[in-house]
Amino acid sequence: MGVNSNRAEDFSSQDTTLRITTESVMPGMEIHKVCLPPKKTTLQKLKQRLGEIFFPDDPLHRFKNRTWCKKLLLGLQFLFPIFQWGPEYSLKLLRSDTISGLTIASLAIPQGISYAKLANLPPIVGLYSSFVPPLIYSILGSSRHLGVGPVSIASLVMGSMLSETVSPHDEPILYLKLAFTATFFAGLFQASLGFLRLGFVIDFLSKATLVGFMAGAAVIVSLQQLKGLLGIVHFTTKMQFIPVISSVFKHRDEWSWQTIVVGFSFLVFLLTSRHISMKRPKLFWVSAAAPLTSVILSTLLVFCLKLKSHKISVIGYLPKGLNPPSANMLSFSGPDLALAIKTGIVTGILSLTEGIAVGRTFAALKNYQVDGNKEMMAIGLMNMAGSCSSCYVTTGSFSRSAVNYNAGAQTAVSNIIMSTAVLVTLLFLMPLFYYTPNVILGAIIITAVIGLIDYQAAYRLWKVDKLDFLACACSFFGVLFISVPLGLGIAVVVSVFKILLHVTRPNTLIMGNIRGTNTYQCLGRYKEASRVPSFLILAIESPIYFANSTYLQERILRWIREEEDWIKANNEGTLKCVILDMTAVTAIDTSGIDLVRELRKMLEKRSFQLVLANPVGSVMEKLHQSKTLDSFGLNGIYLTVGEAVADISALWKSQP
Amino acid sequence: MGVNSNRAEDFSSQDTTLRITTESVMPGMEIHKVCLPPKKTTLQKLKQRLGEIFFPDDPLHRFKNRTWCKKLLLGLQFLFPIFQWGPEYSLKLLRSDTISGLTIASLAIPQGISYAKLANLPPIVGLYSSFVPPLIYSILGSSRHLGVGPVSIASLVMGSMLSETVSPHDEPILYLKLAFTATFFAGLFQASLGFLRLGFVIDFLSKATLVGFMAGAAVIVSLQQLKGLLGIVHFTTKMQFIPVISSVFKHRDEWSWQTIVVGFSFLVFLLTSRHISMKRPKLFWVSAAAPLTSVILSTLLVFCLKLKSHKISVIGYLPKGLNPPSANMLSFSGPDLALAIKTGIVTGILSLTEGIAVGRTFAALKNYQVDGNKEMMAIGLMNMAGSCSSCYVTTGSFSRSAVNYNAGAQTAVSNIIMSTAVLVTLLFLMPLFYYTPNVILGAIIITAVIGLIDYQAAYRLWKVDKLDFLACACSFFGVLFISVPLGLGIAVVVSVFKILLHVTRPNTLIMGNIRGTNTYQCLGRYKEASRVPSFLILAIESPIYFANSTYLQERILRWIREEEDWIKANNEGTLKCVILDMTAVTAIDTSGIDLVRELRKMLEKRSFQLVLANPVGSVMEKLHQSKTLDSFGLNGIYLTVGEAVADISALWKSQP
């Protein structure tokens, strides 16, 4: 400690001359000075930090060093990806897109009608929602394979949240108004997340949470379809497991065997076709065409056998014509505004998560990038426009996108083709659905959601990460027994709690030297690692924060106590120096700084030396700003554990 | 990749033979295998994890390898620390303890009366609270210097939370009942935290938060004392800045100059004595004796000059006698139970935080340990007992403990002496307080709380950690303008958000080789570090979780893009290998595993090799369990960056 007179200057100056000790343990080992990171003002740091938070992908890097004209073109392409692929569009691409577009249309029409029923909306709204949003997405969206339309999860959540307050049967107009208003808020929320570059919010719904959530939702949705499949008339509007199950058995007298026979035959047909397509992806068209085939067959069946009179309920009259405008139905006041906003945010987040995940999955398969924040804006704007044209929440659907991809879609034109097919249906084919039995919609929904129960993924979670499995189980049971938003909320809290737990109780490891190297590794893990006499080398595996500084102090003191006990038991030399390997201490706050000071004082009183090895830039900076560095001096901070051991041993030898 | 046929076996077997390549870049460099941590069952892991969470200090280590008799004695000492120091107690220690006990009694009596008024309770309750709890603490507590009694913060919070619902003037009995019930719940909560070893909960009130909170509370308390100091009769019961200030000026006609003159003279006297003691710690008795002196002087003044008729309000009649039992006043039903529980938890947490912090501070000065969880049980039991004997929330007070320490207290006997002095006061001296003016209590409170405004600490926070300062400012302004529990809540959320932000947007650094060593360090920070051609070496400074896996993927791809641009601009060789230094990746979840797999696939498509260096034990384990290790094979995971560079370069040379 004698050479530390100008230590403050030593640390703040940025020169990088080496400090070489003559009597090192490792002959010829150079001792390097630990540098502070380059000096930055608070403003510069804030700018860099905000840049990392909001622009980690550096979205404007393509604009650098370009002419104005080029910049304009790039900007246009940035905002409307259609300008990117549009000029290179060819007849060959159109052929692929037409085939895939027609294929997904055959899936989209029955799905649209079914999902609208799931949301307690008139079936026609499902078709409207398969017309306008895909058109808008094809201009704004950056994914080439996303099949856009209503999806089961968002439909279910919207239906369950709205019908808790407003009955869709008693007040259908108010319910419709609320649905459109919620869709508007969903779109606004999604577009704002994208515009404000807050896309990382959806990352907090981890995959583990989603696996549980989707499975729970699929179970609930499937059970609810028992209403249609069994032909029950009086059914609960609640979404929890227990009321639904009890409702099924309470109304046993309403079960209709004709409905059951028709329903379960088509369910078996649909599930078989799904199974075939899953076994052989080349036969994707089997499951893609099955829903429409079922609709046609069952409609013909009901029509020919006059089963309508035999207690099989049918869709009934559907109005012909294009989407009517619905901007006048949005209401931004009144007692239900809070409900609309809440429903909008929850469905918005869920549909966004699905859309982004699906887009990324297929982009990765074809090796192109999907910009999350841009996609959010596209999906958000499409929902805002949808809410003004009688559509409810839409997003990229997994089943539709998979069919689209397998059918060979090349660009977003396949969405335009699908829209056109829906347009034709809306204009001319609506009367054909009059005799379509409701039971078939239930079968289609069950087939669609059954794939969401990914028990293999849950098993993988259990095997790899028990806490992830816990989050998964929480969201599954939360959705099943409590409610959708609460179930999701609990799962997010569990996930965040996991992060906090890791910080609150970080690992500390006792390290040893790997023979013949300067590498230090965990003693318990590496048999080649051996203790260095007189040293206790501890690695702290977490940032040091207020939440763990008390724990770390206790834990480090316990390590020292145990080391002393071990030394006593083994008759080794005395402990003289404690080295903290700070490589994994990636951040520190003022409580952490206090811990370091306190620990140093406590160890000094017991005449141990405390040494820090390899503090990272930000930690070094804070140690400097709080003047803690000064108290450590030159023999207190080293670049590596190896250098610390070498230098301090040499010092001890020279001063016996 | 040709040698990886039996790689799965290679990683799962625990043998530690070295793998040596002949043609290394660094001559003679050994390449070490990365080991998995020793195998453990889920149960063993759970046991270890729970041990770290609940018993980090290994509280039973003293009981190991002892006889039954010794274990019993140790257990008794563990539960009642009085058995630890009791047998060695001597007359010399008693002398010190008597002096310090009498000194703090002279402080405790006026403080007790004042703080009870702060909590809107009868002054006598403050004295009761300085009698029973210190006795109980002296048996159970492990701190030797803690001066126990009512404290300003907890009194203020209890007063403000209870009087929002129940008026202490209109319903004094109900108010008193609520106060005792809240005290009971505070004690129950504190004792449970200790018993369940959940002491780390109070760590979430970081020092930064507390600095802001205390300053805010001190400002509010001081402003409230203007009621007494100015002689205002009609004053708001609200605790926010704006109503208090407006109340002061609205009732300007009630200001009484006699009160103002007496009040401010004594305030100046008290502040001066406080200043003297702070400048010269040896004169601690000046500030310790000042409150009692002021009380005596002002009482004499009022009595002799008959100032009572001159609009100076006095305390009035106080009943003589010991604490009456109050167990019958605890009510565990009724509409106000929720309020009592909430108040109990908030005051419980706050008083616990103060008590533990004060205990630790003085223990550190005298180099002994205070067991946090045991202290919590002691404080909790003392409050539960207190609630049954007409006491309200008490804890270790900072001002009292400082005086105790400076007066030379050696053991908890000083608390017993203080209790005895309070007992004498309660039995014989109560009528003497009849003429004590209320204004003097206001002056005592202001003098006590003014020290809580630690602007220097706030400045240090600003200098060292801007986000800590933000948490501090949030709790300051939250307490001042919103309310005590909400202000604290906001500050805790800000603190937790800070942890999450660090995880959500972790640092990634580009590393270079420090010339002549095997050490790799940040290129931006170390000028000696230089790029290794054909390699991109990235250090990830955070666990990889669902909350950051998307960000990290984007960021790593951006680093690669920028590296390629740099290479193109500088005409260097092509990039062939990306090394991720995983030293600071202290944990990984299933989303993180997916990131690693995905990244590997993406880079493979662009014919880059992805290599992991030094994954920690738990990460290695999860990579193994998820079978990700297999896809990496032997040339995919290295112990250090240096070995990775050496081995892969050698491989390239041998396979040109």
Side-chain angles (χ1 to χ4, degrees):
Chain A
M1 295 280 146
V3 284
N4 297 348
S5 55
N6 57 349
R7 52 209 142 75
E9 210 179 277
D10 251 303
F11 278 109
S12 48
S13 73
Q14 286 294 319
D15 77 322
T16 49
T17 42
L18 305 180
R19 193 152 53 90
I20 302 174
T21 55
T22 42
E23 292 180 83
S24 296
V25 167
M26 301 272 167
M29 184 163 203
E30 283 177 77
I31 306 297
H32 297 82
K33 220 181 68 180
V34 180
C35 292
L36 280 167
K39 264 204 183 137
K40 278 181 191 164
T41 62
T42 306
L43 206 69
Q44 281 171 324
K45 271 190 226 162
L46 189 71
K47 206 179 138 194
Q48 194 198 353
R49 197 88 193 103
L50 291 180
E52 283 296 325
I53 292 173
F54 295 109
F55 305 98
D57 52 344
D58 192 14
L60 301 179
H61 69 94
R62 263 191 241 103
F63 291 84
K64 274 173 203 155
N65 312 320
R66 302 282 182 153
T67 60
W68 264 106
C69 188
K70 184 79 185 163
K71 266 184 190 168
L72 196 75
L73 182 67
L74 282 171
L76 215 59
Q77 290 182 345
F78 185 79
L79 292 176
F80 304 102
I82 196 169
F83 287 107
Q84 230 164 342
W85 50 266
E88 292 159 25
Y89 203 71
S90 67
L91 222 62
K92 200 180 147 210
L93 290 176
L94 183 63
R95 228 192 91 228
S96 311
D97 283 340
T98 308
I99 294 172
S100 54
L102 290 176
T103 315
I104 52 172
S106 78
L107 187 68
I109 294 164
Q111 269 193 357
I113 296 173
S114 313
Y115 291 158
K117 291 216 75 160
L118 202 53
N120 298 321
L121 288 166
I124 191 87
V125 173
L127 288 185
Y128 292 156
S129 305
S130 303
F131 172 51
V132 171
L135 285 180
I136 294 174
Y137 183 81
S138 61
I139 297 167
L140 295 173
S142 56
S143 163
R144 293 186 225 139
H145 300 95
L146 211 62
V148 172
V151 292
S152 54
I153 296 285
S155 307
L156 159 78
V157 172
M158 176 172 274
S160 78
M161 287 183 73
L162 290 184
S163 59
E164 259 173 32
T165 311
V166 176
S167 159
H169 305 291
D170 303 341
E171 302 176 274
I173 300 296
L174 176 61
Y175 189 87
L176 205 60
K177 275 186 180 175
L178 273 180
F180 292 146
T181 312
T183 304
F184 178 81
F185 280 112
L188 187 68
F189 177 67
Q190 294 167 331
S192 323
L193 278 191
F195 186 73
L196 300 174
R197 306 194 64 84
L198 293 172
F200 61 84
V201 167
I202 65 161
D203 290 342
F204 277 85
L205 287 181
S206 65
K207 273 185 204 167
T209 307
L210 285 174
V211 165
F213 170 73
M214 298 246 213
V219 170
I220 285 285
V221 169
S222 304
L223 289 176
Q224 274 223 326
Q225 299 318 310
L226 289 177
K227 180 196 176 188
L229 282 175
L230 301 175
I232 300 172
V233 182
H234 300 93
F235 204 76
T236 179
T237 54
K238 288 198 182 139
M239 297 295 301
Q240 288 84 4
F241 185 78
I242 290 160
V244 169
I245 283 289
S246 70
S247 199
V248 165
F249 288 99
K250 219 170 84 186
H251 302 287
R252 228 170 312 168
D253 51 317
E254 292 179 2
W255 293 14
S256 124
W257 69 264
Q258 295 94 331
T259 312
I260 296 178
V261 168
V262 174
F264 279 88
S265 339
F266 278 104
L267 185 59
V268 169
F269 167 68
L270 285 165
L271 288 176
T272 315
S273 66
R274 183 175 169 272
H275 190 72
I276 293 171
S277 294
M278 273 179 63
K279 286 276 158 193
R280 303 206 179 172
K282 280 207 169 174
L283 298 179
F284 69 92
W285 53 268
V286 174
S287 72
L292 194 59
T293 316
S294 311
V295 167
I296 295 171
L297 283 180
S298 64
T299 309
L300 284 176
L301 201 75
V302 172
F303 180 72
C304 298
L305 301 181
K306 306 257 184 281
L307 281 174
K308 189 184 171 227
S309 48
H310 290 78
K311 288 172 84 186
I312 290 194
S313 75
V314 297
I315 292 183
Y317 171 73
L318 292 178
K320 265 200 260 185
L322 270 185
N323 297 21
S326 64
N328 57 329
M329 294 185 81
L330 304 181
S331 75
F332 300 113
S333 59
D336 296 321
L337 183 64
L339 175 69
I341 293 178
K342 201 176 125 193
T343 311
I345 289 179
V346 175
T347 53
I349 273 210
L350 286 172
S351 57
L352 209 51
T353 314
E354 181 167 357
I356 303 282
V358 171
R360 285 217 175 106
T361 308
F362 290 104
L365 287 175
K366 283 282 178 182
N367 215 8
Y368 65 89
Q369 287 277 316
V370 164
D371 178 336
N373 287 306
K374 244 160 80 183
E375 278 293 282
M376 286 183 193
M377 277 200 273
I379 293 176
L381 290 175
M382 138 187 134
N383 275 322
M384 283 167 79
S387 71
C388 300
S389 56
S390 300
C391 306
Y392 77 109
V393 176
T394 50
T395 184
S397 133
F398 186 78
S399 57
R400 217 172 283 188
S401 307
V403 170
N404 200 21
Y405 176 85
N406 283 319
Q410 298 291 329
T411 67
V413 169
S414 70
N415 271 317
I416 301 180
I417 303 285
M418 181 192 76
S419 286
T420 316
V422 173
L423 173 71
V424 171
T425 313
L426 280 170
L427 288 180
F428 307 111
L429 308 180
M430 295 317 287
L432 297 183
F433 291 109
Y434 184 89
Y435 282 102
T436 305
N438 277 319
V439 61
I440 208 70
L441 303 182
I444 290 173
I445 291 177
I446 291 183
T447 316
V449 298
I450 212 120
L452 298 179
I453 306 177
D454 192 350
Y455 56 90
Q456 287 171 319
Y459 177 68
R460 266 199 306 275
L461 289 178
W462 169 255
K463 255 189 75 185
V464 175
D465 195 322
K466 303 290 183 283
L467 278 171
D468 268 2
F469 181 79
L470 182 69
C472 171
C474 279
S475 67
F476 178 75
F477 289 108
V479 167
L480 217 53
F481 290 99
I482 307 172
S483 81
V484 169
L486 257 175
L488 271 181
I490 293 171
V492 170
V493 168
V494 169
S495 311
V496 168
F497 176 75
K498 195 184 115 179
I499 297 184
L500 291 182
L501 185 67
H502 179 76
V503 171
T504 314
R505 290 288 184 262
N507 262 343
T508 41
L509 298 175
I510 184 160
M511 316 272 276
N513 180 244
I514 302 239
R515 279 187 290 276
T517 70
N518 279 320
T519 310
Y520 287 76
Q521 278 288 352
C522 173
L523 273 182
R525 193 170 148 211
Y526 286 89
K527 283 184 195 150
E528 308 98 306
S530 58
R531 279 167 197 264
V532 187
S534 306
F535 286 93
L536 172 65
I537 305 162
L538 289 174
I540 301 172
E541 293 202 331
S542 150
I544 307 180
Y545 283 133
F546 61 94
N548 61 20
S549 58
T550 314
Y551 165 79
L552 278 175
Q553 180 173 332
E554 270 181 8
R555 199 67 187 77
I556 291 169
L557 292 178
R558 177 172 157 199
W559 277 121
I560 294 173
R561 193 181 69 218
E562 289 176 349
E563 178 75 8
E564 287 185 308
D565 289 350
W566 186 89
I567 286 175
K568 211 182 279 171
N570 290 271
N571 279 325
E572 301 248 340
T574 51
L575 178 63
K576 290 200 255 173
C577 178
V578 178
I579 301 180
L580 295 185
D581 182 354
M582 306 276 281
T583 313
V585 179
T586 49
I588 199 164
D589 70 354
T590 44
S591 306
I593 300 265
D594 287 345
L595 161 72
V596 173
R597 284 164 173 268
E598 195 96 335
L599 203 62
R600 197 185 140 72
K601 266 191 226 154
M602 288 173 108
L603 295 190
E604 215 163 52
K605 274 188 190 153
R606 298 166 63 178
S607 52
F608 297 143
Q609 192 179 349
L610 179 68
V611 168
L612 308 182
N614 195 21
V616 304
S618 63
V619 171
M620 202 52 193
E621 210 169 46
K622 285 194 183 148
L623 288 173
H624 173 64
Q625 280 162 348
S626 62
K627 310 215 184 303
T628 314
L629 268 194
D630 304 359
S631 67
F632 273 91
L634 283 178
N635 297 315
I637 307 221
Y638 287 90
L639 190 62
T640 63
V641 175
E643 294 186 6
V645 171
D647 195 41
I648 293 170
S649 310
L651 213 69
W652 287 340
K653 270 188 197 158
S654 64
Q655 308 168 336
Chain B
M1 296 281 144
V3 283
N4 299 349
S5 54
N6 58 349
R7 52 209 142 75
E9 211 180 276
D10 251 304
F11 279 109
S12 48
S13 73
Q14 285 293 322
D15 77 322
T16 49
T17 43
L18 304 180
R19 192 153 54 89
I20 302 173
T21 55
T22 43
E23 294 179 81
S24 296
V25 166
M26 302 271 168
M29 183 164 204
E30 282 178 76
I31 306 297
H32 297 82
K33 218 180 70 179
V34 180
C35 291
L36 279 168
K39 264 204 180 135
K40 278 181 188 164
T41 62
T42 306
L43 206 69
Q44 281 170 322
K45 271 189 228 162
L46 188 70
K47 204 178 139 198
Q48 193 198 353
R49 195 90 193 102
L50 291 180
E52 282 296 326
I53 292 174
F54 295 109
F55 304 98
D57 51 345
D58 192 14
L60 302 178
H61 70 96
R62 263 190 242 104
F63 292 83
K64 274 173 203 155
N65 311 322
R66 302 283 182 154
T67 60
W68 265 106
C69 189
K70 183 80 187 161
K71 265 185 192 170
L72 196 73
L73 182 67
L74 281 172
L76 215 57
Q77 289 183 344
F78 184 77
L79 292 177
F80 305 101
I82 197 168
F83 287 105
Q84 231 164 344
W85 50 265
E88 292 158 25
Y89 201 71
S90 66
L91 221 63
K92 200 182 145 209
L93 288 177
L94 182 64
R95 227 194 92 231
S96 310
D97 284 339
T98 308
I99 294 173
S100 53
L102 289 176
T103 315
I104 51 173
S106 78
L107 188 66
I109 294 165
Q111 269 192 358
I113 297 174
S114 313
Y115 292 158
K117 289 217 75 161
L118 201 51
N120 298 321
L121 289 165
I124 190 87
V125 173
L127 288 184
Y128 291 156
S129 305
S130 302
F131 172 50
V132 172
L135 284 181
I136 295 175
Y137 183 83
S138 62
I139 298 166
L140 295 172
S142 56
S143 164
R144 293 187 226 137
H145 299 95
L146 211 61
V148 172
V151 292
S152 55
I153 296 285
S155 307
L156 160 78
V157 173
M158 176 171 274
S160 79
M161 287 182 75
L162 290 184
S163 60
E164 260 173 31
T165 311
V166 177
S167 160
H169 305 289
D170 304 342
E171 303 175 276
I173 300 296
L174 177 62
Y175 189 88
L176 204 59
K177 276 187 179 174
L178 273 179
F180 292 147
T181 313
T183 303
F184 178 82
F185 281 112
L188 187 67
F189 177 68
Q190 294 168 332
S192 324
L193 279 190
F195 187 73
L196 301 173
R197 304 194 64 84
L198 293 172
F200 61 84
V201 167
I202 65 160
D203 290 343
F204 277 86
L205 286 182
S206 65
K207 273 184 205 168
T209 307
L210 286 174
V211 165
F213 170 72
M214 299 246 213
V219 169
I220 286 285
V221 169
S222 303
L223 288 177
Q224 274 222 327
Q225 299 319 310
L226 289 177
K227 180 193 175 190
L229 282 176
L230 302 175
I232 300 173
V233 181
H234 299 94
F235 204 74
T236 179
T237 55
K238 289 198 182 141
M239 296 296 298
Q240 288 83 5
F241 185 77
I242 291 162
V244 169
I245 283 288
S246 69
S247 200
V248 165
F249 287 99
K250 219 169 87 188
H251 301 288
R252 228 170 313 168
D253 51 316
E254 293 179 3
W255 293 14
S256 123
W257 69 265
Q258 295 93 332
T259 313
I260 295 177
V261 168
V262 174
F264 279 88
S265 339
F266 279 104
L267 185 59
V268 168
F269 166 67
L270 285 165
L271 288 175
T272 313
S273 66
R274 182 173 172 272
H275 189 74
I276 291 171
S277 294
M278 273 179 63
K279 286 276 159 193
R280 303 205 180 173
K282 280 204 168 174
L283 299 179
F284 68 91
W285 54 266
V286 174
S287 73
L292 194 59
T293 316
S294 312
V295 167
I296 295 170
L297 282 182
S298 63
T299 309
L300 285 176
L301 201 73
V302 171
F303 180 72
C304 300
L305 301 180
K306 306 257 185 281
L307 280 172
K308 187 180 174 236
S309 48
H310 290 79
K311 289 172 84 184
I312 290 193
S313 74
V314 297
I315 292 183
Y317 171 73
L318 292 176
K320 266 199 260 186
L322 270 184
N323 297 22
S326 63
N328 57 329
M329 293 184 82
L330 304 181
S331 77
F332 300 113
S333 59
D336 295 322
L337 182 65
L339 175 69
I341 294 178
K342 204 175 121 193
T343 310
I345 290 179
V346 174
T347 52
I349 273 209
L350 286 172
S351 57
L352 209 51
T353 314
E354 181 166 358
I356 303 284
V358 171
R360 284 216 176 106
T361 307
F362 290 104
L365 286 176
K366 283 283 178 180
N367 215 8
Y368 64 90
Q369 288 276 316
V370 164
D371 180 334
N373 288 305
K374 245 162 77 185
E375 277 293 282
M376 285 182 195
M377 277 199 274
I379 293 177
L381 290 175
M382 139 188 133
N383 275 321
M384 284 167 79
S387 71
C388 300
S389 55
S390 300
C391 307
Y392 77 109
V393 177
T394 49
T395 185
S397 133
F398 186 79
S399 56
R400 217 171 285 189
S401 308
V403 169
N404 200 22
Y405 176 85
N406 283 317
Q410 299 289 331
T411 67
V413 169
S414 69
N415 272 316
I416 301 179
I417 303 285
M418 180 190 76
S419 287
T420 316
V422 173
L423 172 71
V424 171
T425 312
L426 279 170
L427 289 179
F428 308 111
L429 307 180
M430 294 317 287
L432 297 183
F433 292 108
Y434 184 88
Y435 282 102
T436 305
N438 278 319
V439 61
I440 208 69
L441 303 181
I444 290 173
I445 291 179
I446 291 184
T447 316
V449 298
I450 211 119
L452 298 178
I453 306 178
D454 192 350
Y455 56 91
Q456 285 171 318
Y459 176 69
R460 267 200 304 277
L461 291 177
W462 167 256
K463 254 189 78 186
V464 176
D465 196 320
K466 303 288 183 285
L467 278 170
D468 269 2
F469 181 78
L470 182 69
C472 170
C474 278
S475 66
F476 179 75
F477 289 109
V479 167
L480 218 52
F481 290 100
I482 308 173
S483 81
V484 168
L486 257 176
L488 271 181
I490 293 171
V492 171
V493 168
V494 169
S495 310
V496 168
F497 176 77
K498 194 184 115 177
I499 297 184
L500 291 182
L501 185 68
H502 180 75
V503 171
T504 314
R505 292 286 184 265
N507 261 344
T508 41
L509 295 176
I510 184 158
M511 315 273 275
N513 180 247
I514 302 241
R515 279 187 293 275
T517 69
N518 279 320
T519 311
Y520 287 75
Q521 278 288 351
C522 174
L523 273 183
R525 194 168 147 213
Y526 285 88
K527 283 186 193 147
E528 309 96 307
S530 56
R531 282 166 193 265
V532 187
S534 306
F535 286 93
L536 173 66
I537 305 162
L538 289 175
I540 301 173
E541 294 202 329
S542 151
I544 307 182
Y545 283 134
F546 62 93
N548 61 21
S549 58
T550 314
Y551 165 79
L552 279 175
Q553 181 173 332
E554 269 180 9
R555 200 66 188 79
I556 291 170
L557 292 178
R558 177 173 156 199
W559 277 120
I560 295 173
R561 194 181 68 219
E562 288 176 348
E563 179 75 7
E564 287 185 308
D565 289 350
W566 186 88
I567 286 176
K568 211 183 278 170
N570 290 272
N571 280 323
E572 301 246 341
T574 51
L575 179 64
K576 290 200 256 178
C577 178
V578 178
I579 301 180
L580 294 187
D581 182 353
M582 307 276 280
T583 313
V585 180
T586 49
I588 199 164
D589 70 355
T590 44
S591 306
I593 300 266
D594 287 345
L595 161 72
V596 173
R597 285 165 173 269
E598 194 96 334
L599 203 62
R600 199 186 137 72
K601 266 191 225 154
M602 287 173 109
L603 295 191
E604 215 164 51
K605 274 189 191 152
R606 297 167 64 177
S607 52
F608 297 142
Q609 195 180 346
L610 179 69
V611 167
L612 307 182
N614 194 21
V616 304
S618 63
V619 171
M620 201 55 191
E621 210 169 48
K622 285 193 183 150
L623 287 172
H624 174 64
Q625 280 161 348
S626 62
K627 307 213 186 304
T628 314
L629 268 193
D630 305 359
S631 67
F632 272 93
L634 282 181
N635 297 314
I637 307 224
Y638 287 90
L639 189 63
T640 63
V641 175
E643 293 186 7
V645 170
D647 195 41
I648 293 170
S649 307
L651 214 72
W652 287 340
K653 270 190 198 159
S654 65
Q655 305 170 341

